Amino acid sequence: MSLRQPALALVAALLLSVQAAAAAGLRPADPHVEVHNVLERFPTALLRWEDTLEAVTRSRGIKISYNASELRASGDWVELSWSGVRDPQPDDLLALYTPPDAYKQHKAPVKFVNASDAEGYLSSGGGRLALRLVNLRSDMRWVFIRGGEQPTVVARGPVLRNANPNEPTGVHLMRTRSPSELLVQWTTRDAGQPVARYGSSPDALAFAVPATTTSYGSQDMCGPPASTFGFVDPGMLHTATLSGLLPGQQYWYQVGDPDAGGWSDLYSFRTPPLPGADSTVHILALADQGVGEVDGSFAAMECRPAADVAALAVAEGLAGPPGGGHYSLVLHPGDLSYARGYGALWDAWLFQQQELAARVPYMVCIGNHERDVLDPSHDIPYHTIDSGGECGVPYGARFPMPTPGHSDQPWYSFNHGPVHITVMSTEHHFGAGSAQREWLEGDLAGIDRSLTPWLVLVGHRPIYIDADEFGDQGKQTTAIQLQDALGNLLDRYGVDVAIAGHHHSYQRTCSVHNGTCHPGRTRGTVHLCVGNAGADFYDNGFQQRPAWVEHEAQTTHGYARLHVNATAFHIQAVGSATGRVFDEAVLAPRHAPAAPSDTRQQASLFARRAEALLAAA
């Protein structure tokens, strides 16, 4: 047994809880993720299903301390020390709770660490570890847990006070349908008087706009763990509109409340380009990411590679594309935080993404792990427990996309330079007669291709994917459903590229329609799966790769770059382990000459600059 895993007894107990859930009809639709991640990490479900946590007994001699009395800012590192443990065991754990006594209500911990991760613990009964903490707007406490099949809190540390519960956290930009404005959102504990101030100089933030404030509670969720042991108060979510922006202009901004919590760091961004074929845009695309703890700890759903993907994407987002210019958009087609009902993971994921999302508009679409619930009263095509009872509530509150405005209809579109981007929801009905299908056809029919020559469709589940997974809601089953429902629509309106996730791999197809490649892009759509941003890989491709797959990477985490102008749509896939491009393709517009001969030279320049960027990062 690895010392980094819980004891086999805990795993066995958790298996019983999972089996009990299955017996009650709570079947996991995505077993590759759920079973693997849950069994290798702290059994938060056990705190809910196994009523065995006793009140604090303070085992004689165990002492817990920190090198700080308060958390001053999100992302601060705190050293956790403990000593006096008699007969130390590999399954001894330290868990972080907020509020400090949440363990008494059988709440899930924010994160946990194996005591045996500390050097010499099994011989000395003591240790110390440096751990990074995210501001959750409340005081915190570490507790010591022992007991194998019957985990028991045997000691607790002092309360770690939150010095600034109104620190602006989770800052992120979002586009609207207008190129002259952006939304910015951030989180604090109290409503207060939230304001965003901005201007064209870092020394002169001449404009100030008030924010609107919203939140959600456990009663808004659709079931456990989101409504019960996984719920963490999300705080107050403030959203402000930065308007009157000039195209391509650089601006600086801060958010906060001068009377409570102060101001955020100073961030800058460039305004999105005006719609038009004469501009060039650079876009980052990634999906199925989750949270990767950089301090060696674990959370309810841990996706360790996500930290490396985020770090490289942040570095590149700040430095700009290797070939020059700047990134003006991030596309994230679903499965963002993998919180799945454990609310603290939304804060952790937003912290992980903040240095990028606070500078580049971050546009998302809903995935199964944000929306799907088992409750048949929800009018959705796939009824599973994948969202952990969230049913789209945290997603919708934290990412107010420019949707048509109707409740639970998270589809939208916007123009971005030479590209029209249409975002659909594969988690809502998309077939003939559905509200989404009617909207989708109207949106595609209304595009002016002389203004935006490129058309991109974004959705979570892929329409074409190399996955030998059939059965109810299998990856290939849902892909065929999407092909049947949308294939002719994509062909009729000439969708150039469809970007998806869901399958945890990187894949790129030829220009395909009805399962047939069309050389020269006379028809068909290139399908791009970017579900390799952090979640565990799938290794379930067909024994013989489909002819329409041009490139596939089943074991490479990373993200994609899109460089687009009127004459070329340049796709590059970047591996987070190396920072190098492992796949690329340049698409020419339909019925147009091939891309200029210097395109490959530019691609080579991109690759050389990428290696320099990785070294600098």
Side-chain angles (χ1 to χ4, degrees), residues 86-174:
R86 300 177 182 178
D87 189 26
Q89 297 295 316
D91 61 345
D92 292 340
L93 305 171
L94 289 114
L96 178 67
Y97 285 91
T98 184
D101 292 336
Y103 62 90
K104 294 181 180 179
Q105 288 78 47
H106 304 281
K107 292 283 189 176
V110 172
K111 60 196 299 184
F112 82 99
V113 65
N114 292 295
S116 56
D117 286 351
E119 185 176 358
Y121 168 71
L122 292 177
S123 59
S124 69
R128 62 179 61 188
L129 292 169
L131 298 162
R132 190 178 68 178
L133 305 182
V134 172
N135 190 341
L136 294 174
R137 303 162 295 281
S138 177
D139 297 342
M140 300 177 171
R141 186 201 306 273
W142 285 92
V143 303
F144 199 97
I145 298 176
R146 310 194 75 181
E149 291 185 46
Q150 297 186 344
T152 304
V153 173
V154 297
R156 66 181 187 181
V159 171
L160 183 68
R161 193 175 72 85
N162 191 318
N164 188 4
N166 286 308
E167 173 194 8
T169 60
V171 181
H172 56 285
L173 295 170
M174 295 161 284

Side-chain angles (χ1 to χ4, degrees), residues 120-454:
Y121 168 71
L122 292 177
S123 59
S124 69
R128 62 179 61 188
L129 292 169
L131 298 162
R132 190 178 68 178
L133 305 182
V134 172
N135 190 341
L136 294 174
R137 303 162 295 281
S138 177
D139 297 342
M140 300 177 171
R141 186 201 306 273
W142 285 92
V143 303
F144 199 97
I145 298 176
R146 310 194 75 181
E149 291 185 46
Q150 297 186 344
T152 304
V153 173
V154 297
R156 66 181 187 181
V159 171
L160 183 68
R161 193 175 72 85
N162 191 318
N164 188 4
N166 286 308
E167 173 194 8
T169 60
V171 181
H172 56 285
L173 295 170
M174 295 161 284
R175 279 216 52 173
T176 71
R177 289 183 65 86
S178 170
S180 65
E181 63 183 24
L182 290 174
L183 298 183
V184 59
Q185 188 186 90
W186 68 101
T187 305
T188 62
R189 183 188 67 184
D190 302 326
Q193 300 294 322
V195 173
R197 59 185 186 183
Y198 62 103
S200 57
S201 166
D203 302 318
L205 305 182
F207 307 101
V209 291
T212 59
T213 298
T214 187
S215 189
Y216 54 88
S218 59
Q219 72 280 0
D220 298 312
M221 304 299 190
C222 300
S227 61
T228 54
F229 56 94
F231 182 77
V232 171
D233 190 331
M236 295 293 166
L237 310 178
H238 313 292
T239 306
T241 302
L242 311 180
S243 59
L245 306 175
L246 299 177
Q249 174 76 43
Q250 186 171 14
Y251 290 88
W252 285 260
Y253 76 98
Q254 286 180 305
V255 298
D257 184 340
D259 298 324
W263 296 104
S264 70
D265 289 343
L266 184 68
Y267 298 105
S268 70
F269 64 85
R270 286 191 179 274
T271 309
L274 291 173
D278 57 349
S279 60
T280 298
V281 295
H282 305 281
I283 301 169
L284 295 175
L286 68 162
D288 296 78
Q289 186 177 28
V291 174
E293 293 285 0
V294 299
D295 57 10
S297 64
F298 293 98
M301 286 292 294
E302 180 71 21
C303 301
R304 288 207 178 266
D308 292 336
V309 173
L312 190 63
V314 166
E316 182 166 345
L318 298 183
H326 68 277
Y327 286 103
S328 56
L329 194 68
V330 179
L331 290 174
H332 194 138
D335 287 4
L336 282 61
S337 68
Y338 277 98
R340 301 181 61 246
Y342 296 96
L345 284 174
W346 277 107
D347 291 277
W349 181 77
L350 284 165
F351 176 82
Q352 175 182 273
Q353 306 299 104
Q354 179 170 283
E355 292 305 306
L356 176 63
R359 294 175 172 87
V360 182
Y362 207 102
M363 304 301 284
V364 300
C365 84
I366 200 164
N368 57 307
H369 287 295
E370 283 86 42
R371 180 60 185 88
D372 294 1
V373 292
L374 197 64
D375 186 348
S377 69
H378 287 249
D379 188 22
I380 55 177
Y382 307 118
H383 291 97
T384 73
I385 60 172
D386 287 357
S387 78
E390 289 187 353
C391 58
V393 172
Y395 167 90
R398 294 179 181 276
F399 284 91
M401 297 287 100
T403 62
H406 304 293
S407 176
D408 200 25
Q409 293 188 357
W411 41 85
Y412 62 95
S413 68
F414 61 100
N415 293 323
H416 195 75
V419 189
H420 180 85
I421 298 172
T422 298
V423 180
M424 68 169 293
S425 169
T426 59
E427 310 315 301
H428 293 74
H429 294 293
F430 46 76
S434 65
Q436 180 171 204
R437 172 59 182 254
E438 181 180 356
W439 172 86
L440 185 60
E441 183 144 17
D443 181 75
L444 298 180
I447 298 170
D448 181 353
R449 299 301 284 264
S450 66
L451 186 68
T452 53
W454 296 98

